[in-house]
Amino acid sequence: MESAAARPRPVLTAGSVLPQDAARAALVARVHHPQWDGPCVAAVRGDQVVDLTAIAPTVSDLMERDDAATVVREADGGHAWYLDDLLKAPNGRRDVPHLLAPIDLQVIKAAGVTFARSLVERVIEERTGGDPAQAARVRARVKQVVGSALDGIRPGSPEADKTKELLVSEGLWSQYLEVGIGPDPEVFTKAPVLSAVGTGTDIGVLGDSVWNNPEPEVVLVVDSRGRIRGATLGNDVNLRDIEGRSALLLSRAKDNNASCAIGPFVRLLDDDFDLDTVRGLDIDLRVDGTDGYVLHGSSSMREISRDVLDLVAATHGPHHQYPDGFVLFTGTLFAPTEDRQAPGAGFTHEYGDTVRISSPRLGALVNTVTTSEQATPWTFGVRALMRSLAQRGVL
């Protein structure tokens, strides 16, 4: 396979990644600055991206400020880049400015099995032991028994308990159904701090995975006090064959080099973009293969089983604190079942796929699929960030 740096990247422009109402939005970006060999916290203002690092050294610091949206819109900044120039930067090059994932010190968490349709697909993965050839047969059996029993069900409710009893009697109870309709959601650590990739870069799938798919999700940005301060888009890459063999392989299935994409920007909450707006977001997915293959999909936050505040409360509280804040993938409705490579095998990625996750109010996160082994290695960690900020005198 050719190297990640050698493959052509999708052609991105400001117009293709910005929200439709970008002029009204408070948008936070991060930019790699070659002069400091490190990131800058930045504000997106029209076609320019303005350095705010002297005011907020990290995005985590910015999220702690009650006036964060005002700072992003109005504060005097330092260096400015044209957004189009940042989007044209070659992949994997540290000698040119480019966009990064718009978060830094926040812990990267994810909530799983938060939509009924994807819940059924998790049960299918478990029942097939991660074998895609068995998916169609098991899917028919599960849907025959479950039917519409999960539609509109409130997790942890008496109705959920009755559904559980039905499924147990049919021999179809599953650990995924437990977290899907039981009282406690699944919340796990998706990736290490600073390991997420941004828009325009490669996203990694383990080389030995033969059944996998993108997971387009809304990602909440939460401060140290548990307040939701903004939202962005994410791709929580799903290796169905590996997790399907055993849920105890979740870390191997989810946490690999370049397997977590977040971006393009964090949109801060304000009067024009509040929590109710987040609850109503629609997310579109498009996968374009190098062979002309196209997959369309969608997910809607209106169909989520647990409210976003409930997911945050399950993550942060007296039981667990996050002094630098956290981001939370909220799950996805999208679970592709159409065949791509062979009848009955369902969808799986091929290398070179372009994955575009978009929402009118959040913009577009665009990545190209490669293996985690071939993706640009993750080398910039917390020590490197502290050194870079210290050199600039902003700590």
Side-chain angles (χ1 to χ4, degrees), residues 123-125 127-128 134-143:
V123 175
I124 291 164
E125 290 168 16
R127 292 280 159 171
T128 62
Q134 304 297 318
R137 176 184 58 81
V138 176
R139 185 175 294 111
R141 165 64 177 154
V142 171
K143 289 187 175 180

Side-chain angles (χ1 to χ4, degrees), residues 33 85 96 101 249 278 370:
H33 197 325
D85 291 340
V96 291
L249 292 172
V278 174
T370 185

Side-chain angles (χ1 to χ4, degrees), residues 33-49:
H33 197 325
Q35 178 182 352
W36 303 112
D37 192 27
C40 296
V41 178
V44 181
R45 299 173 180 170
D47 63 351
Q48 292 196 320
V49 181

Side-chain angles (χ1 to χ4, degrees), residues 8 10-11 13 29 33 156 173 194 227 237 256 279 323 341:
V11 177
T13 65
H33 197 325
W173 184 246
L194 289 175
R227 302 179 303 171
V237 177
N256 300 290
R279 291 182 175 106
Q341 296 173 338

Side-chain angles (χ1 to χ4, degrees), residues 5-286:
R7 285 194 308 277
R9 296 173 61 197
V11 177
L12 302 180
T13 65
S16 69
V17 302
L18 284 168
Q20 290 180 0
D21 59 342
R24 299 201 306 270
L27 299 175
V28 180
R30 280 171 74 241
V31 177
H32 171 74
H33 197 325
Q35 178 182 352
W36 303 112
D37 192 27
C40 296
V41 178
V44 181
R45 299 173 180 170
D47 63 351
Q48 292 196 320
V49 181
V50 180
D51 183 6
L52 299 178
T53 310
I55 300 170
T58 67
V59 177
S60 176
D61 286 309
L62 180 62
M63 293 302 132
E64 296 297 314
R65 298 182 59 133
D66 292 335
D67 63 346
T70 300
V71 168
V72 168
R73 288 191 172 97
E74 301 177 7
D76 292 335
H79 189 88
W81 302 267
Y82 284 105
L83 179 55
D84 279 332
D85 291 340
L86 296 175
L87 292 168
K88 293 175 184 175
N91 191 30
R93 290 271 299 274
R94 299 192 60 80
D95 60 335
V96 291
H98 57 269
L99 287 178
L100 302 167
I103 63 165
D104 42 44
L105 294 179
Q106 294 93 341
V107 176
I108 304 173
K109 307 291 286 189
V113 203
T114 54
F115 290 82
R117 192 185 309 168
S118 63
L119 164 57
V120 170
E121 288 300 311
R122 297 294 85 76
V123 175
I124 291 164
E125 290 168 16
E126 182 183 46
R127 292 280 159 171
T128 62
D131 180 5
Q134 304 297 318
R137 176 184 58 81
V138 176
R139 185 175 294 111
R141 165 64 177 154
V142 171
K143 289 187 175 180
Q144 178 185 8
V145 174
V146 175
S148 61
L150 299 175
D151 292 349
I153 198 167
R154 184 169 59 85
S157 66
E159 293 77 15
D161 290 339
K162 291 179 181 178
T163 301
K164 176 179 178 178
E165 292 175 5
L166 168 65
L167 294 168
V168 169
S169 69
E170 293 288 339
L172 283 176
W173 184 246
S174 160
Q175 56 202 335
Y176 293 105
L177 287 162
E178 175 62 42
V179 296
I181 65 175
D184 299 314
E186 176 191 24
V187 180
F188 59 93
T189 300
K190 162 63 181 177
V193 169
L194 289 175
S195 68
V197 299
T199 200
T201 61
D202 288 331
I203 192 163
V205 173
L206 277 184
D208 61 357
S209 173
V210 297
W211 190 20
N212 48 70
N213 62 257
E215 290 196 342
E217 305 189 22
V218 170
V219 181
L220 307 174
V221 182
V222 186
D223 70 8
S224 65
R225 288 172 276 179
R227 302 179 303 171
I228 300 174
R229 303 307 310 278
T232 184
L233 296 169
N235 187 350
D236 178 17
V237 177
N238 183 27
L239 307 187
R240 305 187 68 178
D241 49 349
I242 293 176
E243 186 179 350
R245 284 161 45 203
S246 171
L248 296 180
L249 292 172
L250 180 65
S251 180
R252 178 167 175 77
K254 290 291 188 180
D255 182 8
N256 300 290
N257 186 39
S259 66
C260 176
I262 296 176
F265 317 109
V266 172
R267 180 164 186 169
L268 298 177
L269 298 188
D270 55 22
D271 291 341
D272 191 53
F273 184 77
D274 58 14
L275 271 184
D276 283 337
T277 308
V278 174
R279 291 182 175 106
L281 289 174
D282 293 320
I283 304 98
D284 293 319
L285 171 78
R286 178 180 172 118

Side-chain angles (χ1 to χ4, degrees), residues 279-302:
R279 291 182 175 106
L281 289 174
D282 293 320
I283 304 98
D284 293 319
L285 171 78
R286 178 180 172 118
V287 177
D288 287 276
T290 58
D291 58 353
Y293 174 87
V294 178
L295 172 72
H296 293 281
S298 63
S299 184
S300 174
M301 290 292 286
R302 290 186 295 275

